[in-house]
PDB file of all heavy atoms in Angstrom:
ATOM      1  N   SER W 258       5.564  -5.237  -5.077  1.00 98.00           N
ATOM      2  CA  SER W 258       6.263  -4.284  -4.232  1.00 98.00           C
ATOM      3  C   SER W 258       6.076  -2.884  -4.788  1.00 98.00           C
ATOM      4  O   SER W 258       6.408  -2.613  -5.939  1.00 98.00           O
ATOM      5  CB  SER W 258       7.755  -4.641  -4.174  1.00 98.00           C
ATOM      6  OG  SER W 258       8.461  -3.736  -3.350  1.00 98.00           O
ATOM      7  N   CYS W 259       5.535  -1.987  -3.957  1.00 98.00           N
ATOM      8  CA  CYS W 259       5.224  -0.636  -4.414  1.00 98.00           C
ATOM      9  C   CYS W 259       5.804   0.390  -3.442  1.00 98.00           C
ATOM     10  O   CYS W 259       6.350   0.040  -2.395  1.00 98.00           O
ATOM     11  CB  CYS W 259       3.715  -0.445  -4.532  1.00 98.00           C
ATOM     12  SG  CYS W 259       2.835  -0.645  -2.959  1.00 98.00           S
ATOM     13  N   PHE W 260       5.678   1.673  -3.792  1.00 98.00           N
ATOM     14  CA  PHE W 260       6.052   2.723  -2.852  1.00 98.00           C
ATOM     15  C   PHE W 260       4.987   3.810  -2.857  1.00 98.00           C
ATOM     16  O   PHE W 260       4.143   3.877  -3.754  1.00 98.00           O
ATOM     17  CB  PHE W 260       7.447   3.279  -3.131  1.00 98.00           C
ATOM     18  CG  PHE W 260       7.632   3.949  -4.461  1.00 98.00           C
ATOM     19  CD1 PHE W 260       7.497   5.321  -4.596  1.00 98.00           C
ATOM     20  CD2 PHE W 260       7.989   3.215  -5.590  1.00 98.00           C
ATOM     21  CE1 PHE W 260       7.690   5.953  -5.816  1.00 98.00           C
ATOM     22  CE2 PHE W 260       8.192   3.830  -6.812  1.00 98.00           C
ATOM     23  CZ  PHE W 260       8.038   5.205  -6.932  1.00 98.00           C
ATOM     24  N   TYR W 261       5.011   4.655  -1.824  1.00 98.00           N
ATOM     25  CA  TYR W 261       3.931   5.600  -1.600  1.00 98.00           C
ATOM     26  C   TYR W 261       4.493   6.841  -0.914  1.00 98.00           C
ATOM     27  O   TYR W 261       5.380   6.744  -0.062  1.00 98.00           O
ATOM     28  CB  TYR W 261       2.868   4.950  -0.708  1.00 98.00           C
ATOM     29  CG  TYR W 261       1.590   5.742  -0.553  1.00 98.00           C
ATOM     30  CD1 TYR W 261       0.570   5.654  -1.489  1.00 98.00           C
ATOM     31  CD2 TYR W 261       1.397   6.579   0.545  1.00 98.00           C
ATOM     32  CE1 TYR W 261      -0.607   6.381  -1.349  1.00 98.00           C
ATOM     33  CE2 TYR W 261       0.233   7.314   0.703  1.00 98.00           C
ATOM     34  CZ  TYR W 261      -0.767   7.204  -0.252  1.00 98.00           C
ATOM     35  OH  TYR W 261      -1.931   7.923  -0.112  1.00 98.00           O
ATOM     36  N   HIS W 262       3.950   8.007  -1.300  1.00 98.00           N
ATOM     37  CA  HIS W 262       4.382   9.259  -0.692  1.00 98.00           C
ATOM     38  C   HIS W 262       3.420   9.663   0.416  1.00 98.00           C
ATOM     39  O   HIS W 262       2.207   9.763   0.192  1.00 98.00           O
ATOM     40  CB  HIS W 262       4.464  10.365  -1.753  1.00 98.00           C
ATOM     41  CG  HIS W 262       5.567  10.161  -2.738  1.00 98.00           C
ATOM     42  ND1 HIS W 262       5.378   9.506  -3.938  1.00 98.00           N
ATOM     43  CD2 HIS W 262       6.882  10.494  -2.682  1.00 98.00           C
ATOM     44  CE1 HIS W 262       6.534   9.461  -4.589  1.00 98.00           C
ATOM     45  NE2 HIS W 262       7.453  10.049  -3.850  1.00 98.00           N
ATOM     46  N   ALA W 263       3.966   9.928   1.590  1.00 98.00           N
ATOM     47  CA  ALA W 263       3.132  10.219   2.762  1.00 98.00           C
ATOM     48  C   ALA W 263       2.298  11.479   2.577  1.00 98.00           C
ATOM     49  O   ALA W 263       1.205  11.591   3.144  1.00 98.00           O
ATOM     50  CB  ALA W 263       4.017  10.352   4.002  1.00 98.00           C
ATOM     51  N   TYR W 264       2.790  12.430   1.764  1.00 98.00           N
ATOM     52  CA  TYR W 264       2.040  13.682   1.591  1.00 98.00           C
ATOM     53  C   TYR W 264       0.728  13.489   0.833  1.00 98.00           C
ATOM     54  O   TYR W 264      -0.097  14.397   0.768  1.00 98.00           O
ATOM     55  CB  TYR W 264       2.907  14.751   0.905  1.00 98.00           C
ATOM     56  CG  TYR W 264       3.461  14.374  -0.441  1.00 98.00           C
ATOM     57  CD1 TYR W 264       2.670  14.311  -1.582  1.00 98.00           C
ATOM     58  CD2 TYR W 264       4.822  14.100  -0.579  1.00 98.00           C
ATOM     59  CE1 TYR W 264       3.198  13.977  -2.810  1.00 98.00           C
ATOM     60  CE2 TYR W 264       5.359  13.762  -1.806  1.00 98.00           C
ATOM     61  CZ  TYR W 264       4.541  13.705  -2.916  1.00 98.00           C
ATOM     62  OH  TYR W 264       5.062  13.370  -4.151  1.00 98.00           O
ATOM     63  N   LEU W 265       0.498  12.300   0.278  1.00 98.00           N
ATOM     64  CA  LEU W 265      -0.770  12.023  -0.403  1.00 98.00           C
ATOM     65  C   LEU W 265      -1.893  11.703   0.587  1.00 98.00           C
ATOM     66  O   LEU W 265      -3.049  11.557   0.182  1.00 98.00           O
ATOM     67  CB  LEU W 265      -0.598  10.852  -1.372  1.00 98.00           C
ATOM     68  CG  LEU W 265       0.290  11.099  -2.581  1.00 98.00           C
ATOM     69  CD1 LEU W 265       0.478   9.806  -3.375  1.00 98.00           C
ATOM     70  CD2 LEU W 265      -0.292  12.189  -3.477  1.00 98.00           C
ATOM     71  N   GLY W 266      -1.570  11.578   1.871  1.00 98.00           N
ATOM     72  CA  GLY W 266      -2.580  11.210   2.845  1.00 98.00           C
ATOM     73  C   GLY W 266      -2.784   9.696   2.883  1.00 98.00           C
ATOM     74  O   GLY W 266      -2.006   8.935   2.313  1.00 98.00           O
ATOM     75  N   THR W 267      -3.838   9.251   3.527  1.00 98.00           N
ATOM     76  CA  THR W 267      -4.030   7.812   3.704  1.00 98.00           C
ATOM     77  C   THR W 267      -5.174   7.223   2.885  1.00 98.00           C
ATOM     78  O   THR W 267      -5.333   6.001   2.861  1.00 98.00           O
ATOM     79  CB  THR W 267      -4.274   7.485   5.187  1.00 98.00           C
ATOM     80  OG1 THR W 267      -5.408   8.223   5.655  1.00 98.00           O
ATOM     81  CG2 THR W 267      -3.049   7.828   6.030  1.00 98.00           C
ATOM     82  N   ASP W 268      -5.964   8.040   2.217  1.00 98.00           N
ATOM     83  CA  ASP W 268      -7.100   7.490   1.468  1.00 98.00           C
ATOM     84  C   ASP W 268      -6.634   6.549   0.356  1.00 98.00           C
ATOM     85  O   ASP W 268      -7.119   5.415   0.236  1.00 98.00           O
ATOM     86  CB  ASP W 268      -7.958   8.610   0.876  1.00 98.00           C
ATOM     87  CG  ASP W 268      -8.778   9.341   1.936  1.00 98.00           C
ATOM     88  OD1 ASP W 268      -8.880   8.807   3.062  1.00 98.00           O
ATOM     89  OD2 ASP W 268      -9.289  10.438   1.647  1.00 98.00           O
ATOM     90  N   HIS W 269      -5.702   7.003  -0.467  1.00 98.00           N
ATOM     91  CA  HIS W 269      -5.172   6.145  -1.531  1.00 98.00           C
ATOM     92  C   HIS W 269      -4.440   4.944  -0.940  1.00 98.00           C
ATOM     93  O   HIS W 269      -4.487   3.840  -1.479  1.00 98.00           O
ATOM     94  CB  HIS W 269      -4.218   6.928  -2.434  1.00 98.00           C
ATOM     95  CG  HIS W 269      -4.903   7.923  -3.321  1.00 98.00           C
ATOM     96  ND1 HIS W 269      -6.002   7.598  -4.094  1.00 98.00           N
ATOM     97  CD2 HIS W 269      -4.632   9.226  -3.591  1.00 98.00           C
ATOM     98  CE1 HIS W 269      -6.382   8.661  -4.782  1.00 98.00           C
ATOM     99  NE2 HIS W 269      -5.561   9.665  -4.494  1.00 98.00           N
ATOM    100  N   LEU W 270      -3.767   5.169   0.173  1.00 98.00           N
ATOM    101  CA  LEU W 270      -3.025   4.095   0.816  1.00 98.00           C
ATOM    102  C   LEU W 270      -3.969   2.978   1.277  1.00 98.00           C
ATOM    103  O   LEU W 270      -3.677   1.791   1.116  1.00 98.00           O
ATOM    104  CB  LEU W 270      -2.238   4.652   2.004  1.00 98.00           C
ATOM    105  CG  LEU W 270      -1.361   3.676   2.779  1.00 98.00           C
ATOM    106  CD1 LEU W 270      -0.271   3.093   1.882  1.00 98.00           C
ATOM    107  CD2 LEU W 270      -0.735   4.371   3.995  1.00 98.00           C
ATOM    108  N   LYS W 271      -5.103   3.369   1.831  1.00 98.00           N
ATOM    109  CA  LYS W 271      -6.085   2.384   2.274  1.00 98.00           C
ATOM    110  C   LYS W 271      -6.597   1.559   1.098  1.00 98.00           C
ATOM    111  O   LYS W 271      -6.719   0.322   1.182  1.00 98.00           O
ATOM    112  CB  LYS W 271      -7.233   3.080   2.986  1.00 98.00           C
ATOM    113  CG  LYS W 271      -6.845   3.706   4.315  1.00 98.00           C
ATOM    114  CD  LYS W 271      -7.999   4.503   4.925  1.00 98.00           C
ATOM    115  CE  LYS W 271      -7.579   5.161   6.236  1.00 98.00           C
ATOM    116  NZ  LYS W 271      -8.669   6.001   6.808  1.00 98.00           N
ATOM    117  N   ASP W 272      -6.896   2.225  -0.023  1.00 98.00           N
ATOM    118  CA  ASP W 272      -7.364   1.501  -1.213  1.00 98.00           C
ATOM    119  C   ASP W 272      -6.300   0.535  -1.708  1.00 98.00           C
ATOM    120  O   ASP W 272      -6.597  -0.608  -2.098  1.00 98.00           O
ATOM    121  CB  ASP W 272      -7.713   2.495  -2.329  1.00 98.00           C
ATOM    122  CG  ASP W 272      -8.941   3.334  -2.009  1.00 98.00           C
ATOM    123  OD1 ASP W 272      -9.721   2.935  -1.128  1.00 98.00           O
ATOM    124  OD2 ASP W 272      -9.102   4.403  -2.639  1.00 98.00           O
ATOM    125  N   LEU W 273      -5.066   0.988  -1.681  1.00 98.00           N
ATOM    126  CA  LEU W 273      -3.952   0.180  -2.185  1.00 98.00           C
ATOM    127  C   LEU W 273      -3.740  -1.070  -1.327  1.00 98.00           C
ATOM    128  O   LEU W 273      -3.695  -2.198  -1.841  1.00 98.00           O
ATOM    129  CB  LEU W 273      -2.695   1.041  -2.206  1.00 98.00           C
ATOM    130  CG  LEU W 273      -1.391   0.397  -2.666  1.00 98.00           C
ATOM    131  CD1 LEU W 273      -1.531  -0.145  -4.073  1.00 98.00           C
ATOM    132  CD2 LEU W 273      -0.256   1.418  -2.597  1.00 98.00           C
ATOM    133  N   VAL W 274      -3.620  -0.890  -0.034  1.00 98.00           N
ATOM    134  CA  VAL W 274      -3.358  -2.017   0.855  1.00 98.00           C
ATOM    135  C   VAL W 274      -4.515  -3.004   0.829  1.00 98.00           C
ATOM    136  O   VAL W 274      -4.314  -4.225   0.741  1.00 98.00           O
ATOM    137  CB  VAL W 274      -3.098  -1.515   2.290  1.00 98.00           C
ATOM    138  CG1 VAL W 274      -3.084  -2.674   3.280  1.00 98.00           C
ATOM    139  CG2 VAL W 274      -1.772  -0.750   2.348  1.00 98.00           C
ATOM    140  N   THR W 275      -5.738  -2.497   0.876  1.00 98.00           N
ATOM    141  CA  THR W 275      -6.906  -3.367   0.868  1.00 98.00           C
ATOM    142  C   THR W 275      -6.982  -4.179  -0.418  1.00 98.00           C
ATOM    143  O   THR W 275      -7.252  -5.388  -0.404  1.00 98.00           O
ATOM    144  CB  THR W 275      -8.196  -2.531   1.026  1.00 98.00           C
ATOM    145  OG1 THR W 275      -8.144  -1.812   2.261  1.00 98.00           O
ATOM    146  CG2 THR W 275      -9.425  -3.429   1.026  1.00 98.00           C
ATOM    147  N   GLY W 276      -6.728  -3.520  -1.552  1.00 98.00           N
ATOM    148  CA  GLY W 276      -6.802  -4.208  -2.836  1.00 98.00           C
ATOM    149  C   GLY W 276      -5.738  -5.267  -3.020  1.00 98.00           C
ATOM    150  O   GLY W 276      -6.004  -6.354  -3.552  1.00 98.00           O
ATOM    151  N   VAL W 277      -4.525  -4.986  -2.573  1.00 98.00           N
ATOM    152  CA  VAL W 277      -3.438  -5.964  -2.705  1.00 98.00           C
ATOM    153  C   VAL W 277      -3.685  -7.156  -1.787  1.00 98.00           C
ATOM    154  O   VAL W 277      -3.477  -8.315  -2.178  1.00 98.00           O
ATOM    155  CB  VAL W 277      -2.079  -5.296  -2.410  1.00 98.00           C
ATOM    156  CG1 VAL W 277      -0.966  -6.335  -2.334  1.00 98.00           C
ATOM    157  CG2 VAL W 277      -1.754  -4.265  -3.490  1.00 98.00           C
ATOM    158  N   LYS W 278      -4.146  -6.908  -0.576  1.00 98.00           N
ATOM    159  CA  LYS W 278      -4.465  -8.011   0.329  1.00 98.00           C
ATOM    160  C   LYS W 278      -5.556  -8.907  -0.249  1.00 98.00           C
ATOM    161  O   LYS W 278      -5.512 -10.143  -0.111  1.00 98.00           O
ATOM    162  CB  LYS W 278      -4.914  -7.468   1.687  1.00 98.00           C
ATOM    163  CG  LYS W 278      -3.791  -7.037   2.611  1.00 98.00           C
ATOM    164  CD  LYS W 278      -4.362  -6.669   3.978  1.00 98.00           C
ATOM    165  CE  LYS W 278      -3.275  -6.391   4.996  1.00 98.00           C
ATOM    166  NZ  LYS W 278      -3.849  -6.068   6.330  1.00 98.00           N
ATOM    167  N   ALA W 279      -6.546  -8.286  -0.910  1.00 98.00           N
ATOM    168  CA  ALA W 279      -7.671  -9.045  -1.460  1.00 98.00           C
ATOM    169  C   ALA W 279      -7.229 -10.021  -2.544  1.00 98.00           C
ATOM    170  O   ALA W 279      -7.918 -11.005  -2.818  1.00 98.00           O
ATOM    171  CB  ALA W 279      -8.729  -8.089  -2.012  1.00 98.00           C
ATOM    172  N   LEU W 280      -6.081  -9.757  -3.161  1.00 98.00           N
ATOM    173  CA  LEU W 280      -5.555 -10.661  -4.188  1.00 98.00           C
ATOM    174  C   LEU W 280      -4.873 -11.884  -3.583  1.00 98.00           C
ATOM    175  O   LEU W 280      -4.507 -12.810  -4.315  1.00 98.00           O
ATOM    176  CB  LEU W 280      -4.553  -9.916  -5.074  1.00 98.00           C
ATOM    177  CG  LEU W 280      -5.108  -8.786  -5.940  1.00 98.00           C
ATOM    178  CD1 LEU W 280      -3.964  -8.045  -6.635  1.00 98.00           C
ATOM    179  CD2 LEU W 280      -6.092  -9.317  -6.971  1.00 98.00           C
ATOM    180  N   GLY W 281      -4.685 -11.894  -2.289  1.00 98.00           N
ATOM    181  CA  GLY W 281      -4.039 -13.026  -1.631  1.00 98.00           C
ATOM    182  C   GLY W 281      -2.600 -12.785  -1.236  1.00 98.00           C
ATOM    183  O   GLY W 281      -1.917 -13.708  -0.771  1.00 98.00           O
ATOM    184  N   TYR W 282      -2.119 -11.560  -1.413  1.00 98.00           N
ATOM    185  CA  TYR W 282      -0.753 -11.240  -1.011  1.00 98.00           C
ATOM    186  C   TYR W 282      -0.675 -11.046   0.505  1.00 98.00           C
ATOM    187  O   TYR W 282      -1.617 -10.558   1.133  1.00 98.00           O
ATOM    188  CB  TYR W 282      -0.282  -9.948  -1.677  1.00 98.00           C
ATOM    189  CG  TYR W 282       0.096 -10.077  -3.130  1.00 98.00           C
ATOM    190  CD1 TYR W 282      -0.834  -9.808  -4.136  1.00 98.00           C
ATOM    191  CD2 TYR W 282       1.389 -10.429  -3.511  1.00 98.00           C
ATOM    192  CE1 TYR W 282      -0.492  -9.901  -5.480  1.00 98.00           C
ATOM    193  CE2 TYR W 282       1.746 -10.522  -4.852  1.00 98.00           C
ATOM    194  CZ  TYR W 282       0.803 -10.253  -5.835  1.00 98.00           C
ATOM    195  OH  TYR W 282       1.149 -10.343  -7.148  1.00 98.00           O
ATOM    196  N   SER W 283       0.489 -11.394   1.064  1.00 98.00           N
ATOM    197  CA  SER W 283       0.780 -11.130   2.473  1.00 98.00           C
ATOM    198  C   SER W 283       1.894 -10.095   2.549  1.00 98.00           C
ATOM    199  O   SER W 283       2.966 -10.283   1.952  1.00 98.00           O
ATOM    200  CB  SER W 283       1.225 -12.408   3.185  1.00 98.00           C
ATOM    201  OG  SER W 283       0.208 -13.379   3.161  1.00 98.00           O
ATOM    202  N   PHE W 284       1.654  -9.002   3.256  1.00 98.00           N
ATOM    203  CA  PHE W 284       2.672  -7.970   3.383  1.00 98.00           C
ATOM    204  C   PHE W 284       3.785  -8.440   4.325  1.00 98.00           C
ATOM    205  O   PHE W 284       3.521  -8.987   5.398  1.00 98.00           O
ATOM    206  CB  PHE W 284       2.064  -6.673   3.907  1.00 98.00           C
ATOM    207  CG  PHE W 284       1.419  -5.840   2.829  1.00 98.00           C
ATOM    208  CD1 PHE W 284       0.074  -5.994   2.532  1.00 98.00           C
ATOM    209  CD2 PHE W 284       2.164  -4.930   2.101  1.00 98.00           C
ATOM    210  CE1 PHE W 284      -0.529  -5.246   1.535  1.00 98.00           C
ATOM    211  CE2 PHE W 284       1.576  -4.169   1.104  1.00 98.00           C
ATOM    212  CZ  PHE W 284       0.223  -4.321   0.814  1.00 98.00           C
ATOM    213  N   VAL W 285       5.018  -8.221   3.893  1.00 98.00           N
ATOM    214  CA  VAL W 285       6.189  -8.609   4.670  1.00 98.00           C
ATOM    215  C   VAL W 285       7.180  -7.453   4.680  1.00 98.00           C
ATOM    216  O   VAL W 285       7.066  -6.494   3.911  1.00 98.00           O
ATOM    217  CB  VAL W 285       6.864  -9.871   4.101  1.00 98.00           C
ATOM    218  CG1 VAL W 285       5.916 -11.060   4.127  1.00 98.00           C
ATOM    219  CG2 VAL W 285       7.366  -9.617   2.672  1.00 98.00           C
ATOM    220  N   SER W 286       8.172  -7.549   5.538  1.00 98.00           N
ATOM    221  CA  SER W 286       9.207  -6.521   5.619  1.00 98.00           C
ATOM    222  C   SER W 286      10.308  -6.780   4.605  1.00 98.00           C
ATOM    223  O   SER W 286      10.446  -7.894   4.079  1.00 98.00           O
ATOM    224  CB  SER W 286       9.810  -6.507   7.027  1.00 98.00           C
ATOM    225  OG  SER W 286      10.520  -7.714   7.257  1.00 98.00           O
ATOM    226  N   ALA W 287      11.105  -5.770   4.372  1.00 98.00           N
ATOM    227  CA  ALA W 287      12.269  -5.943   3.497  1.00 98.00           C
ATOM    228  C   ALA W 287      13.226  -6.980   4.072  1.00 98.00           C
ATOM    229  O   ALA W 287      13.814  -7.785   3.329  1.00 98.00           O
ATOM    230  CB  ALA W 287      12.980  -4.605   3.301  1.00 98.00           C
ATOM    231  N   ASP W 288      13.377  -6.984   5.395  1.00 97.00           N
ATOM    232  CA  ASP W 288      14.266  -7.966   6.024  1.00 97.00           C
ATOM    233  C   ASP W 288      13.790  -9.393   5.775  1.00 97.00           C
ATOM    234  O   ASP W 288      14.604 -10.308   5.586  1.00 97.00           O
ATOM    235  CB  ASP W 288      14.356  -7.716   7.531  1.00 97.00           C
ATOM    236  CG  ASP W 288      15.315  -6.581   7.871  1.00 97.00           C
ATOM    237  OD1 ASP W 288      16.162  -6.250   7.022  1.00 97.00           O
ATOM    238  OD2 ASP W 288      15.214  -6.028   8.982  1.00 97.00           O
TER     239      ASP W 288
END
């Protein structure tokens, strides 16, 4: 579980989401 600042843009966000998914994690909501 991580957090991200929107003012950083989406390039780092894309790397982050892609890399975590590649490990076999499934993104879910807090609920």
Side-chain angles (χ1 to χ4, degrees):
S258 180
C259 61
F260 63 95
Y261 188 84
H262 291 93
Y264 58 73
L265 292 174
T267 57
D268 287 346
H269 288 311
L270 182 62
K271 292 175 182 177
D272 292 341
L273 179 59
V274 169
T275 300
V277 171
K278 280 186 173 181
L280 294 174
Y282 284 94
S283 298
F284 277 91
V285 299
S286 67
D288 280 340

